Amino acid sequence: MATIPAARGRKRASSVKEIIENIETDPAHHLTGPFVDTPPTYVVHQTDTASALSSPSPLTISPPSEDNAPVAAPKNNGHQRNGNGVSRQKRGQGPCPQPQFSKGLWNDVTSMNWARVPTSSLFLMTIPVLLYLQWEILSPGTTNPFKYLLMIQYPVPGTSDPVMYQKGYGDLAFLAYYVIVFSFIRQGLTLHVLRPLAWKCGIKKEAKLDRFAEQAYAIIYFSTSGALGLWAMYNSPTWYFNGRHYFQGRFRYHIYTFGSSATDNTDLDYPYWKMTKFMKSYYLLQFSYWVQQFVILVLGLEKPRTDFTELVIHHIVTLWLIGWSYLVNLTPIGNAVFITMDTSDIFLAFAKTLNYLGLETASTFAFAFFIGVWSYTRHYLNLRILWDVYHDFDLIPKWAQAWRPETGAWLAPWMKWQIFAPLVLLQLVNIFWYFLILRVLYRAVFKKHLADERSDDEDDGEPADDYYKDD
């Protein structure tokens, strides 16, 4: 038996302190782990600890020394979040911990988990591209069936400068493919760009990392779609929310250029079954985005808010409006509604990102500006659209006020209410949210507290590293 050397008080105190600090991360001392009887200041002379514990013979033990240091406790590989171990990190040190959702490529594809995993959605995106290229190489000059997935199709014969496009069943393939594309874009940006950005800006709680990434992505998407929507309207007679032209048949309008005007005869007889390539692309991509948003809602990619029911209603009504307006050749109305929704969402997301960054004063001013934008776009302009549907529907040529899908005419007289009803329902959801917005404003002004009424208490969420402790 080795002679016990003189005690080293300072080193032993340091060792005990280290053990206490590591209690929460050391599975040997965690209440949920095994109760392993391993004295921290002695070394077991056995190569296999498990066999040592089960050995009937007494074990030889000795105190620590320079050449015989204690066996270090096994390092914890981190906590388990969404199926992925995230290493223990201190505030401001190391990379942002990334949750991983993949359960294997085959499982991701068959279980819809590709909507969470950027690499899996990228794999699905790549397959049609490779098949398209293979077809072009092996069968040049023949109709490539994979083109319906990747590009806008169905040009109207005889049109040029610009070439006009019509609807077709292949649009469903385009729609489905770009749902996958938007899943890749969203998850790729939020996980690998926006969450690390939030981490570098000092956001450490898991819930706020996710919220910041969601809102930053909303800024990126709605800024892009809002600008494209305004451009589409600017290049059409419906600029600026000229409601009569949602329905009016052949009419004359003026083009003003540097003080002079010219009159142009324009054939805008309903049905508007001919679209520019830009308008058709814009409309179907918006449709794909909202289908993908509904997938997010179904899969629970975003933490549910207290207004979850209203959000479900909003998404269903939005898809209803987009689908029907495209089917019945009323894309001008759909374009107008898109603009009113997208524009206000930019400023809401911007105010919330400032709030997550702790810039309360800037967030308050941004939120006040957002309320003005919301009031104008989601209520004033939307109520104008409702009035135009109610008042100007009869401007549709009489021959087109019939249910004749083969001619492109879908607007029988009763269809007026089919268009009017979902717009009213959408306005009711907006009014509900407007009430919550005004309540947030009241609290920000009189109680100096700015928080999203729709969100759960994000401060109660776990840190991005469950084992993070303030020093």
Side-chain angles (χ1 to χ4, degrees):
M1 189 68 124
T3 304
I4 300 177
R8 298 176 181 178
R10 296 299 299 170
K11 181 171 285 188
R12 177 170 296 187
S14 175
S15 176
V16 172
K17 179 182 177 183
E18 181 180 350
I19 292 170
I20 292 174
E21 288 180 343
N22 290 335
I23 282 177
E24 185 171 340
T25 60
D26 185 357
H29 296 84
H30 201 280
L31 292 178
T32 60
F35 291 93
V36 181
D37 185 14
T38 305
T41 57
Y42 290 89
V43 179
V44 179
H45 293 286
Q46 189 97 6
T47 56
D48 187 349
T49 305
S51 63
L53 293 175
S54 61
S55 174
S57 60
L59 302 176
T60 303
I61 60 175
S62 63
S65 65
E66 292 293 332
D67 300 326
N68 190 20
V71 177
K75 293 183 178 180
N76 180 37
N77 289 328
H79 67 285
Q80 197 79 5
R81 181 182 298 279
N82 297 323
N84 176 54
V86 180
S87 61
R88 182 172 182 259
Q89 312 246 356
K90 287 189 175 182
R91 185 184 298 271
Q93 297 180 2
C96 174
Q98 292 293 352
Q100 295 292 334
F101 307 101
S102 181
K103 301 175 183 177
L105 180 60
W106 177 253
N107 185 279
D108 289 346
V109 172
T110 56
S111 66
M112 291 285 291
N113 202 43
W114 52 262
R116 299 172 182 265
V117 185
T119 52
S120 297
S121 52
L122 179 61
F123 173 77
L124 292 177
M125 287 168 52
T126 306
I127 293 174
V129 175
L130 295 177
L131 292 174
Y132 175 84
L133 294 175
Q134 182 186 44
W135 189 284
E136 290 295 308
I137 294 171
L138 299 179
S139 304
T142 61
T143 301
N144 192 327
F146 301 103
K147 67 181 181 180
Y148 296 100
L149 290 164
L150 305 175
M151 295 169 282
I152 293 296
Q153 300 299 320
Y154 301 110
V156 178
T159 60
S160 61
D161 196 27
V163 176
M164 304 299 285
Y165 287 78
Q166 57 187 323
K167 301 190 304 288
Y169 288 109
D171 294 343
L172 295 174
F174 182 91
L175 184 68
Y177 179 76
Y178 281 90
V179 169
I180 300 173
V181 172
F182 277 120
S183 296
F184 168 74
I185 294 173
R186 181 192 187 276
Q187 291 300 94
L189 282 176
T190 55
L191 291 178
H192 301 296
V193 177
L194 301 175
R195 275 177 59 98
L197 176 62
W199 180 268
K200 287 184 179 296
C201 291
I203 299 175
K204 303 301 173 183
K205 290 184 179 291
E206 181 69 25
K208 284 193 175 181
L209 281 171
D210 288 339
R211 289 293 196 218
F212 178 91
E214 292 167 8
Q215 298 306 317
Y217 174 71
I219 293 173
I220 295 171
Y221 178 79
F222 290 122
S223 297
T224 304
S225 63
L228 294 176
L230 284 169
W231 180 254
M233 180 181 281
Y234 180 76
N235 288 279
S236 72
T238 58
W239 178 263
Y240 174 75
F241 293 92
N242 192 334
R244 289 178 60 86
H245 297 169
Y246 299 147
F247 304 104
Q248 194 169 14
R250 187 181 300 274
F251 65 94
R252 296 166 66 82
Y253 70 100
H254 293 278
I255 304 173
Y256 294 92
T257 307
F258 300 109
S260 62
S261 64
T263 303
D264 182 27
N265 291 321
T266 303
D267 185 1
L268 281 182
D269 289 339
Y270 176 85
Y272 309 125
W273 60 273
K274 292 184 291 186
M275 295 171 280
T276 63
K277 187 174 186 178
F278 180 85
M279 175 61 86
K280 182 172 181 177
S281 302
Y282 164 76
Y283 219 83
L284 287 179
L285 288 174
Q286 282 275 51
F287 203 169
S288 298
Y289 170 82
W290 282 104
V291 172
Q292 192 264 341
Q293 286 294 104
F294 192 71
V295 170
I296 289 175
L297 207 62
V298 171
L299 296 181
L301 266 64
E302 295 181 357
K303 184 180 178 181
R305 294 180 170 91
T306 55
D307 67 337
F308 181 79
T309 301
E310 290 78 14
L311 198 61
V312 171
I313 294 173
H314 174 270
H315 281 36
I316 291 174
V317 171
T318 300
L319 291 173
W320 178 8
L321 282 169
I322 298 171
W324 268 102
S325 61
Y326 188 72
L327 178 65
V328 304
N329 302 313
L330 278 179
T331 50
I333 291 181
N335 176 215
V337 175
F338 278 141
I339 293 171
T340 63
M341 300 297 170
D342 294 351
T343 306
S344 57
D345 282 340
I346 298 170
F347 298 99
L348 173 61
F350 181 64
K352 293 188 72 175
T353 53
L354 292 176
N355 190 44
Y356 294 141
L357 292 172
L359 304 174
E360 295 184 4
T361 302
S363 178
T364 301
F365 280 107
F367 189 75
F369 184 77
F370 152 73
I371 292 177
V373 175
W374 176 286
S375 303
Y376 175 71
T377 58
R378 293 233 180 179
H379 296 291
Y380 172 71
L381 289 180
N382 268 281
L383 289 173
R384 273 187 57 181
I385 294 171
L386 273 170
W387 170 253
D388 292 331
V389 172
Y390 177 80
H391 184 262
D392 295 335
F393 185 88
D394 290 337
L395 292 176
I396 297 173
K398 292 300 181 182
W399 73 266
Q401 293 186 29
W403 186 271
R404 297 193 187 95
E406 67 279 2
T407 65
W410 297 75
L411 294 187
W414 58 269
M415 281 291 291
K416 173 180 180 178
W417 306 109
Q418 196 280 336
I419 301 168
F420 191 80
L423 288 173
V424 169
L425 188 57
L426 193 62
Q427 183 59 210
L428 292 176
V429 174
N430 286 336
I431 290 172
F432 169 77
W433 282 332
Y434 198 48
F435 166 74
L436 298 182
I437 289 167
L438 293 178
R439 191 161 66 174
V440 171
L441 179 65
Y442 171 81
R443 292 182 178 179
V445 173
F446 296 101
K447 299 185 178 181
K448 308 300 181 183
H449 174 68
L450 182 63
D452 188 354
E453 285 286 328
R454 304 176 305 156
S455 300
D456 295 328
D457 190 355
E458 290 153 343
D459 289 336
D460 291 341
E462 293 295 333
D465 183 343
D466 278 348
Y467 299 126
Y468 164 76
K469 298 292 181 185
D470 287 324
D471 290 334

